[in-house]
Amino acid sequence: MIKITLPDGSVREYEKGTTSFQVAQSISEGLARNVLAAEINGEIWDSSRPINNDSSIKLLTWNDQGGKSTFWHSSAHLMAEALEALYPGIKLGIGPAIETGFYYDIDFGDHQFSSDDFDKVEKKMIELAKTKEEYKRSDVSKADAINYFTEKGDQYKLELIDGLEDGNITFYQQGNFTDLCRGPHIPNTGFIKAAKLMSVAGAYWRGDEKNKQLTRIYAVTFPKASELTDYLTLLEEAKKRDHRKLGKELELFTFSEKVGAGLPLWLPKGAALRERLVQFLSKAQVKAGYEQVITPHIAQKELYITSGHYEKYGKDSFQPIRTPNEDEEFLLKPMNCPHHCEIYRSKPRSYKDLPVRYAEFGTVYRYEQSGELHGLTRVRGFTQDDAHLFCRPDQVKEEFEKVIDLVLHVFNALGFEEYTAQVSLRDPENKDKYIGSDENWQKAEAAIIEAAAEKGLKTVVELGEAAFYGPKLDFMVKDALGRKWQLGTIQVDYNLPERFQLEYTGSDNQKHRPVMIHRAPFGSMERFVAVLIEHCAGNFPLWLTPEQYIILPISEKYADYAKKLSEELNISDIRGLIDNRDEKIGKKIRDAEIKKIPFMLIVGEKEQEENTVSVRKHGAGDLGSLNIDQFVEIIKKETAI
């Protein structure tokens, strides 16, 4: 008999060799029908795989990320089977699950493939899915694996096999299709009820430009046809909210080929919005005891060798800048933290001086491959709302709690109401890959867990996800479309204080290393603005929006009255503009709606005589006639943070 521990902590005994599907059956037939796979001691297995030792088990359904990932990986195999049936002789690369859906890299040889072929592939997939073929796992020797794919003539699989150890090779088969794969997979193809090929692109084999370019097909599947319909509706809404589209329409930012890919240019309205975000956080940081610092955009290469960043990122970064001095090399700044370490080192520190909190809106530069660039979310130059706290070990928890407060202040002010916090801890079974003493790690991890609990955060604990230099807390925010984004991170660091030999004199008059905390509530200004645009569909909070009102005179006769109103509103620190174009009022209103300006103030003969404005709110319609003081009061209430 073996003991199976369930997620609720209860323990049940089963015969050795019992499968997770059988465990599910013993709990509920309904549950068993929905089980896609199981997490066995932290590793995802097929639900049909025998369990021979005492184990902790979590049954995975479509509602679990692990279940979805398994479902989509199995769907990649189904798509490959359909493609082989439709295009005989094709060669297969790899076909992993991704965040939503999956892809497969294909060498079509002499076959032509385009989006015009999507429909017949989808139909073939569903035809094959209806056969309910079982996904069968088998252990294969390296020699047999080589023989199989040599006979099939698939050089890509042979190249993958070459890097595998004999005894660790498995095949999966469903129907007439066999693939090299370590799994896991869902029980059978019948779970797949709806399929949609999303796009096709080129992808170099193994990401190497020297290799052949394969055809990468992206697709998604669902266990219900209605879920595919809902997903496609969501995608259409996402297209409307795309920050690249809205950024252009709202005149927030642009890109220039002459300036360079991945280097955004902030237009006046975007710069104003961004500056208000900076002022908002700067004000909160001053209250929290931060000191503003400024560091240069370049530094000597030696700085990043000391910090370890050059060793880790040097090959993939912008290359060194050489000067007329032969031995002098500079790098574009990839991180702000080494600079802040040098500021800390600029004078002796006492335990009484700590914590020291340095903040900087520092622009950094990292070379991203051109294919990975995406609007403001993946760029080569971006500004981090960076801060580094240097504190004593006994201050870590208190500082963590204060940073959590700051992050939540940002989220609340900007309408991000759903979020979870991922507590990333070191792998207790593999401590050698981390630096720092056990005592410091235990204190830091306990401090993070306690701080998150005391703040009432909804948390997920992930073992082995800590950085090598310390544990961290990442905030995962859900936007209006239900998509998850990582916004805000807090990291404990024992590495850089050691590398830079940072010290303070303790109460015992001995030298001690401070603990360093990295934090960035926005993450980067570029990415945060992109997420914010898509979250609120360009309808920014009133305190943040570039233009809070637009005055729409019915004719040029009322231009002077409009100007007088604008001056009064400006005195009250309410920003906006006047539309003095010679256009009909209906067109002016439509244009203002497209620009997502929150308030339209329509003025004509009646409003001028009564010293009022006719107020129309974006997305809400007429609010009636108000005097200017009443309108100012509405703005003040809505802009209170």
Side-chain angles (χ1 to χ4, degrees), residues 550 552 589-590 593 597-602 613-624 631:
I550 184 168
L552 309 177
I589 290 172
R590 283 193 300 275
E593 287 280 1
I597 298 174
F599 289 97
M600 289 152 270
L601 309 181
I602 302 164
V613 291
S614 181
V615 181
R616 183 181 181 88
K617 190 173 184 180
H618 171 68
D622 292 328
L623 299 186
F631 178 67

Side-chain angles (χ1 to χ4, degrees), residues 555-572:
S555 75
E556 64 180 13
K557 291 192 297 183
Y558 309 107
D560 288 342
Y561 179 56
K563 184 178 179 183
K564 170 178 170 287
L565 290 172
S566 180
E567 289 171 352
E568 289 182 35
L569 291 171
N570 288 343
I571 290 170
S572 297

Side-chain angles (χ1 to χ4, degrees), residues 393 396-397 400 423 425 437-451 469-472 492-494 515:
V396 169
K397 179 185 172 185
F400 233 87
V423 181
L425 308 178
S437 68
D438 280 348
E439 182 184 1
N440 280 339
W441 271 89
Q442 288 163 5
K443 284 181 180 177
E445 290 180 336
I448 293 174
I449 293 169
E450 289 171 15
Y469 50 75
K472 59 180 180 171
V492 175
D493 186 353
Y494 298 107
V515 180

Side-chain angles (χ1 to χ4, degrees), residues 493-504:
D493 186 353
Y494 298 107
N495 177 44
L496 287 185
E498 189 69 37
R499 281 181 171 268
F500 282 91
Q501 297 293 292
L502 304 184
E503 296 177 337
Y504 67 89

Side-chain angles (χ1 to χ4, degrees), residues 262-278:
L263 299 171
L265 301 171
W266 292 88
L267 303 178
K269 292 178 183 178
L273 181 148
R274 172 177 157 152
E275 183 58 27
R276 271 185 284 280
L277 283 171
V278 169

